[in-house]
């Protein structure tokens, strides 16, 4: 009942703003919103394309893909052997318990047997995981499952993954085996092997990723924000799935063809990945191992499927006390990983990655500036053309985001809380702002769980690092200045 009342109030405010704007001088208001209108046509036509593609994939293409894959899998002489690779680092014991119970159940359900490789740093984690294994219920048959616990130095996730990949390669996996790579805070579906292995009967498929459900401990903005993001993810991944190449192999849980994951080139890409930047020099990747695996498969011409009917469950918690700080912290990591790989992926030929993927990668960059340009033009219109431009823009935002949220609800779950339209606008505007910041600072990267640094006054950075920081600020400011100037001209403020 409270949700219905919130929607009624929202719509009442929208109607009131619309009436207020219609009573003003429409010609001056429309002049102030010309940039918003042009960007709206651009952005929402692209959204319509992706929603249409997602609907086609979900309702027509994917069911046929699954039926064909399962038929081919049923014709194989033996089912796939599954390798589960899990990395755990300082995760709460109750989360670890739930996660590893799901992994042990999934491994036991693999008809071709399973091998679990766990990479841990702390002895406490190793002890707890062994205890969970020993205390699994008797109805979970682990007789065909092998558990390998590998305690390693805490030198980073990339080193841990590379070491685990080499360990699996020494087990001589075959072309038809699969590797489920999961984080230590993600529950895997019990039928993950049976639902994913059939797709690897197509030799063009190198990996796949699945739907994802987020669990947060407390209700509120953070939970709503995550649920909204995963609704958007379902639509975009399904759209990308139509072309057979998703734009990310989610680090939470993805499945790989075993003989590709153990390829020396694949392992080297994960262990030590970097890009050469004209201003920043060599940028070595710390985070974003999932982007490294994705790029290796993309550049080698493999397909990467999306399974919308399979879902992992990730345990999410706020990295900072407040919602805003938490959201920005996460966006800095996510978007940094995306942008560090975007440039080299764009450089790949269309014949290798396809026209849609090429355009989607380009849109990741264009979307930064088109999103920021809208609010900028509203500021100019309000200050220099007509103060009614601001309520007109607010009405536009309320209407378009509300409609978009209803469209999103069609691809995941019906209905949505009234926080969604506001969170959608926040994600778009603040997300674009964070992307613009990171675009000129690709060398800035950090794990979400990294400690905040040593106590006391931080050491003064070296001269070269300070010069790069100053140059990043200069180039970023220059880009924003040109964008502001362009919106001034397009809004008619400057002639």
């Amino acid at each position: 009942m409270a949700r219905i009342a919130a929607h009624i109030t929202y719509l009442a405010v929208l109607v009131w703003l619309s009436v207020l704007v219609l009573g003003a001088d429409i010609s001056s208001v429309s002049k102030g919103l010309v940039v918003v209108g042009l960007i709206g046509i651009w952005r929402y036509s692209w959204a319509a394309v992706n929603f249409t593609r997602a609907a086609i994939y979900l309702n027509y293409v994917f069911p046929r893909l699954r039926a064909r894959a399962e038929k081919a899998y049923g014709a194989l002489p033996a089912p796939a052997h599954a390798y589960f690779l899990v990395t755990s680092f300082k995760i709460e014991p109750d989360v670890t318990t739930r996660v590893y119970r799901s992994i042990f159940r999934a491994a036991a359900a693999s008809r071709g047997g399973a091998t679990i490789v766990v990479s841990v740093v702390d002895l406490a984690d190793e002890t707890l995981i062994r205890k969970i294994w020993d205390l699994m219920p008797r109805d979970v048959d682990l007789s065909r499952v092998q558990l390998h616990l590998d305690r390693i130095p805490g030198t980073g996730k990339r080193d841990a993954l590379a070491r685990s990949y080499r360990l699996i390669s020494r087990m001589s996996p075959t072309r038809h085996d699969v590797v489920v790579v999961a984080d230590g805070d993600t529950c895997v579906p019990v039928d993950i092997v049976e639902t994913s292995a059939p797709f690897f009967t197509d030799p063009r498929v190198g990996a796949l990723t699945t739907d994802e459900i987020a669990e947060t401990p407390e209700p509120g903005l953070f939970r709503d924000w995550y649920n909204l993001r995963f609704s958007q993810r379902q639509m975009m991944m399904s759209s990308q799935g139509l072309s057979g190449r998703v734009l990310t192999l989610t680090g939470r849980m993805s499945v790989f063809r075993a003989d590709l994951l153990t390829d020396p080139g694949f392992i080297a890409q994960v262990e030590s990945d970097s890009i050469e930047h004209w201003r920043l020099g060599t940028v070595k990747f710390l985070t974003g191992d999932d982007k490294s695996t994705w790029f290796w498969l993309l550049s080698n011409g493999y397909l990467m499927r999306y399974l919308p009917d399979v879902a992992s469950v990730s345990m999410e918690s706020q990295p900072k006390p407040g919602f805003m700080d938490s959201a920005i912290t996460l966006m800095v990591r996510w978007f940094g990983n995306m942008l560090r790989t975007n440039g080299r992926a764009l450089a790949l030929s269309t014949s290798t990655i396809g026209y849609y993927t090429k355009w989607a990668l380009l849109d990741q960059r264009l979307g930064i500036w088109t999103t920021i340009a809208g609010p900028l033009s509203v500021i100019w219109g309000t200050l220099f053309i007509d103060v009614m431009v601001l309520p007109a823009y607010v009405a536009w935002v309320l209407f378009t985001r509300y409609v978009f949220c209803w469209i999103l609800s069609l691809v995941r779950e019906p209905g949505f809380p009234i926080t969604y339209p506001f969170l959608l606008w926040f994600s778009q505007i603040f997300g674009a702002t964070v992307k613009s910041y990171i675009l000129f600072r690709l060398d800035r990267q950090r794990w979400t769980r990294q400690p905040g640094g040593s106590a006391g006054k931080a050491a003064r950075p070296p001269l070269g690092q300070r010069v790069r920081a100053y140059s990043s600020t200069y180039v970023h400011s220059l880009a924003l200045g040109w964008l502001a100037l362009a919106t001034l001209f397009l809004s008619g403020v400057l002639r």
Side-chain angles (χ1 to χ4, degrees), residues 208-363:
L208 56 85
T209 196
T210 69
D211 189 13
E212 189 176 343
I213 299 169
E215 283 194 9
T216 53
E218 299 292 337
L221 280 180
F222 191 73
R223 176 183 290 181
D224 289 350
W225 183 60
Y226 250 103
N227 290 338
L228 172 62
R229 282 188 59 81
F230 284 126
S231 292
Q232 291 177 275
R233 181 184 182 276
Q234 175 80 333
M235 185 186 80
M236 291 305 300
M237 284 287 202
S238 297
S239 175
Q240 295 158 16
L242 189 61
S243 64
R245 294 181 180 89
V246 294
L247 292 191
T248 184
L249 289 171
T250 308
R252 293 296 195 188
M253 188 195 75
S254 291
V255 187
F256 297 82
R257 211 177 85 186
D259 64 327
L260 298 180
L261 183 140
T262 56
D263 184 284
F266 183 97
I267 297 173
Q269 183 95 54
V270 173
E271 187 172 32
S272 182
D273 199 3
S274 63
I275 56 172
E276 293 296 326
H277 191 273
W278 67 274
R279 182 172 51 82
L280 301 172
T282 301
V283 178
K284 187 175 181 179
F285 294 2
L286 301 179
T287 63
D289 53 273
D290 52 328
K291 284 296 186 180
S292 298
T293 58
W294 170 81
F295 180 72
W296 190 90
L297 291 167
L298 183 72
S299 59
N300 282 280
Y302 288 101
L303 297 180
M304 290 169 277
R305 296 287 188 200
Y306 178 60
L307 308 189
D309 60 345
V310 183
S312 63
V313 178
S314 58
M315 315 297 167
E316 306 291 348
S317 59
Q318 290 190 202
K320 303 283 185 179
F323 165 73
M324 185 74 75
D325 287 345
S326 295
I328 292 176
T329 297
L330 290 168
M331 287 192 288
V332 165
R333 180 164 65 86
W334 294 337
F335 299 150
N337 294 338
M338 178 192 79
L339 291 170
R340 276 185 286 275
T341 302
N342 177 275
R344 61 181 181 178
L346 263 176
L348 298 174
S349 67
T350 306
S351 60
T352 300
I353 65 176
Y355 286 99
Y356 172 82
T357 303
K358 189 85 167 183
W359 182 255
L361 289 167
L362 179 61
D363 182 72

Side-chain angles (χ1 to χ4, degrees), residues 52-186:
T52 302
R53 288 172 55 91
I56 293 171
Y57 183 73
L58 290 168
N59 295 299
Y60 300 103
V61 174
F62 179 74
R64 289 164 176 77
L65 278 175
R66 176 166 287 289
R68 188 162 60 246
E70 290 181 348
K71 182 178 179 181
Y73 189 63
L76 292 179
H81 183 85
Y83 296 86
F84 289 80
L85 195 168
V86 193
T87 54
S88 287
F89 178 69
K90 294 185 178 180
I91 297 171
E92 296 79 1
D94 56 333
V95 172
T96 297
T97 300
R98 184 176 169 190
V99 166
Y100 280 91
R101 280 176 179 167
S102 77
I103 290 167
F104 295 156
R105 287 184 183 277
S110 174
R111 292 187 296 119
T115 302
I116 303 170
V117 175
V118 181
S119 179
V120 297
V121 174
D122 290 351
L123 176 61
D125 286 339
E126 180 180 351
T127 303
L128 176 59
I129 293 167
R130 289 192 185 280
K131 183 178 180 181
I132 297 167
W133 171 271
D134 292 336
L135 295 178
M136 285 298 290
R138 292 186 177 181
D139 63 328
V140 181
D141 182 9
L142 296 173
S143 61
R144 293 180 298 113
V145 180
Q146 291 185 323
L147 175 64
H148 295 265
L149 280 161
D150 186 25
R151 190 149 62 93
I152 63 171
T155 55
K157 187 179 178 183
R158 287 181 176 271
D159 289 343
L161 288 171
R163 176 166 166 158
S164 296
Y165 293 161
R166 292 191 178 99
L167 179 59
I168 292 174
S169 68
R170 291 195 291 271
M171 299 175 187
S172 302
T174 71
R175 151 73 181 82
H176 295 290
D177 295 335
V178 299
V179 182
V180 180
V181 180
D183 276 350
D185 55 3
T186 301

Side-chain angles (χ1 to χ4, degrees), residues 373-450:
L376 270 180
S377 68
V378 170
I379 293 172
W380 309 145
T382 304
L383 293 176
F384 301 112
I385 297 176
D386 192 324
V387 71
M388 292 304 295
V389 168
L390 183 58
Y393 173 70
V394 174
W396 165 262
V397 168
L398 292 177
F399 173 73
T400 53
R401 274 56 175 187
Y402 191 75
V403 171
F404 192 74
C405 287
W406 274 114
I407 292 174
L408 282 177
S409 71
L410 298 176
V411 299
R412 196 173 181 112
E413 56 187 29
F416 57 90
I418 204 60
T419 54
Y420 272 24
F422 301 102
L423 290 171
L424 180 60
W425 182 86
F426 164 80
S427 295
Q428 291 168 339
I429 303 304
F430 279 81
T433 304
V434 170
K435 287 176 188 175
S436 76
Y437 179 87
I438 292 296
L439 183 62
F440 297 100
R441 299 166 180 83
L442 296 176
D443 54 331
R444 299 281 295 271
Q445 48 192 312
R446 188 175 184 177
W447 290 103
T448 305
R449 286 199 199 97
Q450 270 183 336

Side-chain angles (χ1 to χ4, degrees), residues 19-37:
V19 172
L20 183 67
V21 171
L22 290 174
D25 183 355
I26 299 298
S27 61
S28 62
V29 173
S30 60
K31 183 193 292 187
L33 290 174
V34 63
V35 176
V36 174

